[in-house]
Amino acid sequence: MSTPVVTCDAVRRTYRRGRGAPTVVALDEVSLAIDAGELVGITGASGSGKSTLLHLLAGLDTPDSGRVTIAGHDVGARSERARARIRLDHVGIVFQRFHLLPALSARANVALPLVEQGVPKAERRERATALLDRVGLGDRTDHRPGELSGGEQQRVAIARALATEPELLIADEPTGELDSETGARVIDLLGELASDRAVVVASHDDAVVAAADRVLELRDGRRTDG
Ligand code: ADP
Ligand code: MG
């Protein structure tokens, strides 16, 4: 039996906006386990806790109580620095607004995580080129983000998230800025990528729900299926 790529066990996360402000329970008693080969959709109304859950699954944040493991590492028990290393080695993250560096070419954007990993320059270039090819942008490697469409920018962001060959890919509303046809192609790509890793996508896009192997719905920070 294989170990899940990411797990949550009775996770709770609260926020407080300031002293004296009421505490918001963003996630309450959420448990899940996701295996390689799965495309899992996270749905729920705005404010239901989707982004909070994804931040925990990505190791960007830690729970108030409960346990999150990424590739077997208990992230709540780690320092910020140790979590950054876990993210670099195991997690790729894609955001709604792409978050590409505007002054860099598509290839240089994709190669950035490899700089952090200390991969030599020639290998970075080769791997970034291959990744852009993989996402259908082999002819756009030298373009800057401003010279690319929204759908193309999101593909660059996906290629960048894949650069370190993570076993977990997390995408928060990845089609939120795209028209439905462009979004559908991004979802197809995420589906393909789930064949050999775990992919978790938060979205209220029906196309994500249709493409997912499994859908978890949140309501007020709890799974609707318990
Ligand atoms: P979703 O992604 O489903 O829209 P979020 O996870 O962003 O939901 O938010 C869940 C709840 O937590 C909401 O009530 C939201 O207002 C609150 N929340 C999220 N982030 C913060 C924050 N940084 N500070 C205070 N409250 C927050
Ligand atoms: Mg959100």
Side-chain angles (χ1 to χ4, degrees):
M1 218 183 76
S2 69
T3 320
V5 175
V6 64
T7 68
C8 281
D9 184 22
V11 159
R12 182 179 168 89
R13 179 69 167 90
T14 63
Y15 297 108
R16 199 196 303 246
R17 285 186 202 285
R19 272 211 300 167
T23 298
V24 176
V25 181
L27 283 181
D28 198 13
E29 293 289 319
V30 171
S31 299
L32 54 79
I34 299 173
D35 294 315
E38 283 195 291
L39 176 66
V40 175
I42 309 285
T43 64
S46 181
S48 60
K50 301 182 298 296
S51 293
T52 301
L53 178 59
L54 260 52
H55 282 112
L56 292 168
L57 297 179
L60 287 165
D61 190 16
T62 55
D64 296 4
S65 61
R67 208 165 96 100
V68 177
T69 69
I70 298 171
H73 302 281
D74 179 351
V75 291
R78 305 301 172 96
S79 65
E80 171 54 47
R81 192 185 159 88
R83 277 192 286 119
R85 188 70 216 186
I86 290 168
R87 288 197 300 274
L88 184 62
D89 290 341
H90 303 287
V91 190
I93 309 173
V94 175
F95 300 98
Q96 180 171 349
R97 289 169 198 271
F98 326 133
H99 291 293
L100 300 172
L101 295 186
L104 299 184
S105 68
R107 180 167 35 219
N109 268 284
V110 172
L112 268 182
L114 301 176
V115 175
E116 267 187 272
Q117 275 192 333
V119 174
K121 188 168 182 178
E123 186 186 337
R124 290 202 302 264
R125 197 181 158 85
E126 198 175 305
R127 282 170 61 178
T129 305
L131 282 159
L132 284 167
D133 222 26
R134 170 75 187 83
V135 301
L137 293 175
D139 58 348
R140 294 283 191 277
T141 54
D142 294 319
H143 287 55
R144 290 183 183 178
E147 300 163 340
L148 299 171
S149 72
E152 289 171 337
Q153 289 181 62
Q154 194 58 297
R155 284 162 181 274
V156 174
I158 291 169
R160 178 183 57 187
L162 294 173
T164 56
E165 299 175 1
E167 54 263 64
L168 176 61
L169 183 63
I170 302 273
D172 195 358
E173 310 273 1
T175 63
E177 301 282 304
L178 308 177
D179 64 68
S180 57
E181 199 180 311
T182 309
R185 272 189 253 125
V186 165
I187 294 160
D188 284 348
L189 175 61
L190 293 172
E192 286 169 27
L193 296 173
S195 67
D196 50 2
R197 60 179 65 74
V199 180
V200 188
V201 185
S203 182
H204 17 245
D205 187 336
D206 290 338
V208 171
V209 174
D213 298 307
R214 191 149 68 96
V215 176
L216 309 182
E217 189 189 4
L218 293 176
R219 188 182 300 147
D220 297 332
R222 287 176 170 267
R223 283 181 63 173
T224 54
D225 57 344

